């Protein structure tokens, strides 16, 4: 077992499948943003393409949520991938043909096909990332979003060229995912290795409401009409700046919270959103600075939720397509709600966002989400549940003659075999219960930074990289205890 952990610890970050997934993720983000930043003319007036994309993808996500188990059997078939590719190319050609504002029906149909292809690509990336080692997840996403920020010049191309490019990039991304799957199938060992405890996903209403508030707020603040009013050069600088800053912030947040829960990440997004509301009220809606802050928060929120859902899917026993469908349904419907509230301000408060009725309500809602909804206990329960109980149900809660459970005996054995100090063992016990760094610090009366140092030492001595690997290790040790 120690040899297996040592081998896993030496695995390189940049394997061929990892590089293919990063390249595909760059294609997925670029495709979605190429679609979202365009203005699609339908009927008598302009309708934001982002609104259309959210509506189409919300319907598709509802289908994934309802039919996930049935679709899982056919999703990897070559004909399905070919169909998605053909749909993306047809959609891009339809959009290019109607880029002058004519043929509104053809444009809507083409944009719907591109939106579906974009969603399929993002879901395929999530599925691949969910199979990656937990310690690789933040690094792979960070590299992808950082490299994708240099794609800003693409947004200044003529409209017809952008539509063709979006279809080609989506096609390339799907081809890269297919290649990554083929490589993984060839390299997969003949024997199955246990992946650790898995539990059904039972969403916490508090977290769902909190995420919906954040998503609605980012969509409310996202400057959908702002892009038409600035010059191409300013737009290029604006896009690169916001995406680059969002990528760097994501990397810092992922690094800081790697040994804790996702609470730091969500609270950081909440803080940036509140800064955006304050700057919009102080400087006005047309000011460059609050718009940059708002767009940065919008991108950062998408990166963080993408990481969180991939992490959740890696150990949840819930059907992945159903999980991804529920995620995008929440994301897109909340986005539509935020856009609707933004439009409502024009009716109820025509003085501008500095006198925004719904903006004030959303700002208060963000504070409530940060203080009462998206808390350490709620997030801990959302991602890990009653971890010890789940492990016990998986292997059988067997009491020893000395009064200790299998879990206790396993932790004692692991702590002794790997030379953990008494304090490190206490941290190990609480981590095996699914506790976060903040909770452990409060329980042991030490600072969170001290807890993270202990966690780093525990990981190093056990040869693991994440909480999921720790739980897997405890499960394996517990399963082997009766045989000894």
């Amino acid at each position: 077992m120690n040899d297996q952990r040592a081998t896993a610890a030496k695995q390189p970050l940049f394997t061929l499948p990892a590089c293919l997934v990063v390249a595909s993720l760059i294609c997925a983000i670029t495709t979605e943003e190429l679609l979202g930043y365009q203005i699609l003319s339908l009927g008598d007036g302009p309708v934001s393409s982002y609104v259309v994309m959210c509506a189409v993808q919300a319907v598709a996500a509802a289908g994934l949520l309802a039919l996930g188990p049935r679709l899982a059997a056919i999703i990897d078939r070559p004909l399905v991938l070919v169909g998605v590719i053909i749909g993306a190319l047809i959609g891009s050609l339809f959009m290019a043909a109607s880029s002058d504002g004519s043929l509104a029906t053809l444009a809507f149909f083409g944009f719907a096909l591109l939106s579906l292809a974009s969603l399929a690509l993002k879901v395929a990336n999530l599925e691949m990332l969910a199979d990656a080692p937990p310690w690789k997840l933040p690094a792979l996403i960070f590299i992808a979003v950082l490299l994708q920020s240099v794609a800003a010049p693409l947004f200044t191309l003529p409209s017809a060229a952008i539509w063709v490019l979006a279809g080609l990039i989506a096609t390339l991304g799907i081809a890269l995912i297919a290649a990554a799957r083929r490589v993984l199938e060839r390299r997969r060992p003949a024997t199955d290795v246990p992946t650790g405890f898995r539990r059904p996903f039972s969403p916490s209403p508090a977290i769902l409401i909190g995420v919906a508030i954040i998503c609605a707020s980012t969509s409310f603040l996202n400057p959908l009409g702002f892009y038409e009013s600035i010059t191409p050069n300013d737009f290029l600088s604006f896009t690169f700046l916001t995406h680059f800053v969002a990528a760097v912030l994501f990397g810092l947040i992922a690094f800081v919270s790697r040994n804790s829960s996702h609470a730091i990440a969500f609270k950081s997004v909440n803080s940036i959103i509140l800064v955006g509301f304050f700057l919009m009220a102080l400087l006005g809606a047309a000011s460059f600075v609050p718009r940059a802050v708002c767009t940065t928060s919008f991108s950062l929120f998408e990166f963080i939720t993408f990481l969180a859902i991939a992490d959740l899917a890696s150990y949840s026993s819930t059907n992945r397509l159903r999980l991804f469908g529920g995620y995008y349904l929440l994301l897109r419907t909340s986005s539509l709600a935020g856009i609707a509230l933004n439009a409502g301000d024009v009716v109820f408060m025509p003085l501008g966002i500095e006198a925004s009725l719904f903006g004030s309500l959303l700002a208060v809602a963000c504070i409530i989400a940060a203080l009462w909804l998206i808390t350490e206990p709620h997030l801990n329960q959302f991602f890990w549940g009653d971890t010890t109980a789940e492990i016990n149900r998986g292997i059988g809660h067997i009491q020893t003659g000395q009064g200790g459970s299998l879990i206790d005996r396993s932790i004692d054995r692991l702590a002794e075999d790997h030379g953990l100090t008494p304090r490190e063992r206490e941290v190990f016990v609480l981590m095996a219960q699914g506790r976060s760094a903040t909770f452990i610090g409060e329980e042991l009366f030490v600072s969170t930074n001290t807890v993270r140092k202990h966690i780093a030492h525990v990981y190093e001595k056990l040869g693991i990289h994440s909480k999921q690997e720790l739980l897997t290790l405890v499960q394996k040790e517990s399963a082997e205890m009766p045989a000894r």
Side-chain angles (χ1 to χ4, degrees), residues 387-441:
T387 309
T388 305
E390 294 294 338
I391 295 177
N392 282 330
R393 279 197 288 270
I395 61 176
H397 189 67
I398 303 175
Q399 298 292 332
T400 66
Q402 290 76 24
S405 70
L406 274 177
I407 301 300
D408 296 331
R409 293 169 55 200
S410 301
I411 291 174
D412 288 337
R413 177 68 66 88
L414 289 169
E416 180 181 353
D417 290 348
H418 294 85
L420 298 185
T421 65
R423 178 61 85 183
E424 289 169 354
R425 185 196 178 280
E426 290 177 329
V427 172
F428 184 18
V429 170
L430 292 171
M431 289 177 66
Q433 295 174 359
R435 303 303 186 183
S436 67
T438 303
F439 181 94
I440 295 173

Side-chain angles (χ1 to χ4, degrees), residues 229-276:
S229 62
I230 59 178
T231 65
N233 288 336
D234 288 340
F235 179 77
L236 179 61
S237 301
F238 179 84
T239 305
F240 176 79
L241 173 66
T242 55
H243 286 245
F244 182 79
V245 171
V248 172
L249 286 174
F250 171 78
L252 292 173
I253 292 171
F255 176 79
V256 170
S257 62
R258 68 192 186 282
N259 291 331
S260 183
S261 67
H262 295 273
I264 294 176
F266 284 106
K267 289 181 183 298
S268 299
V269 174
N270 250 26
S271 300
I272 297 174
I273 291 172
L274 288 172
V275 170

Side-chain angles (χ1 to χ4, degrees), residues 91 93-95 97-98 102-111:
L93 292 176
F94 282 0
M95 289 306 304
S98 56
S102 62
L103 304 175
T105 303
L106 188 65
F108 179 83
F109 182 69
F111 192 82

Side-chain angles (χ1 to χ4, degrees), residues 274-291:
L274 288 172
V275 170
F277 275 114
F278 175 77
L279 291 175
M280 294 283 268
L282 186 66
L283 302 177
S287 175
F288 180 86
V289 175
R291 285 303 189 186

Side-chain angles (χ1 to χ4, degrees), residues 106-381:
L106 188 65
F108 179 83
F109 182 69
F111 192 82
L113 288 176
L114 278 173
S115 299
L116 291 175
S118 175
L119 178 64
L121 184 53
K122 293 292 284 290
V123 169
N125 273 279
L126 277 171
E127 191 172 17
M128 290 295 296
L129 288 170
D131 288 329
W135 64 273
K136 281 188 177 184
L137 268 179
L140 293 178
I141 297 177
F142 169 67
I143 293 169
V145 298
L146 188 64
L147 293 176
Q148 194 273 335
S149 66
V150 303
L154 298 178
F155 302 116
T156 61
L157 293 173
S159 183
I162 284 181
W163 295 127
V164 173
L165 189 62
L168 293 176
I169 292 177
T171 298
L172 176 61
I174 294 168
L176 289 170
I177 282 290
R181 285 175 173 164
R182 292 293 297 272
V183 172
L184 284 175
E185 287 176 0
R186 293 175 182 174
R187 296 186 178 186
R188 187 169 287 126
T191 57
D192 292 328
V193 180
T195 57
F197 93 97
R198 291 183 176 273
R199 68 179 184 89
F201 173 61
S202 43
S204 166
I207 297 301
L208 294 180
I209 295 172
V211 171
I213 289 173
I214 296 177
C215 186
S217 299
T218 55
S219 297
F220 178 88
L221 292 171
N222 191 39
L224 293 174
F226 177 68
Y227 308 111
E228 290 186 316
S229 62
I230 59 178
T231 65
N233 288 336
D234 288 340
F235 179 77
L236 179 61
S237 301
F238 179 84
T239 305
F240 176 79
L241 173 66
T242 55
H243 286 245
F244 182 79
V245 171
V248 172
L249 286 174
F250 171 78
L252 292 173
I253 292 171
F255 176 79
V256 170
S257 62
R258 68 192 186 282
N259 291 331
S260 183
S261 67
H262 295 273
I264 294 176
F266 284 106
K267 289 181 183 298
S268 299
V269 174
N270 250 26
S271 300
I272 297 174
I273 291 172
L274 288 172
V275 170
F277 275 114
F278 175 77
L279 291 175
M280 294 283 268
L282 186 66
L283 302 177
S287 175
F288 180 86
V289 175
R291 285 303 189 186
V293 171
C294 295
T295 304
T296 300
S297 67
F298 189 82
S299 299
L300 180 61
F301 175 68
E302 290 193 326
F303 300 154
I304 286 175
T305 53
F306 202 79
L307 171 63
I309 200 68
D311 184 30
L312 180 62
S314 66
Y315 54 81
S316 174
S317 62
T318 303
N319 177 267
R320 286 182 177 179
L321 291 182
R322 178 166 283 176
L323 193 63
F324 300 152
Y327 161 65
Y328 274 107
L329 182 61
L330 175 66
L331 209 63
R332 297 312 184 208
T333 52
S334 300
S335 294
L336 290 173
I339 295 170
L341 291 175
N342 203 332
D345 260 341
V346 178
V347 177
F348 293 100
M349 301 291 288
L351 298 178
I353 199 164
E354 59 270 27
S356 168
L357 172 64
F358 295 113
S360 302
L361 294 176
L362 285 173
V364 173
C366 281
I367 296 174
I368 294 173
L371 296 179
W372 285 287
L373 298 178
I374 304 179
T375 62
E376 289 278 354
H378 283 152
L379 275 163
N380 190 62
Q381 178 67 28

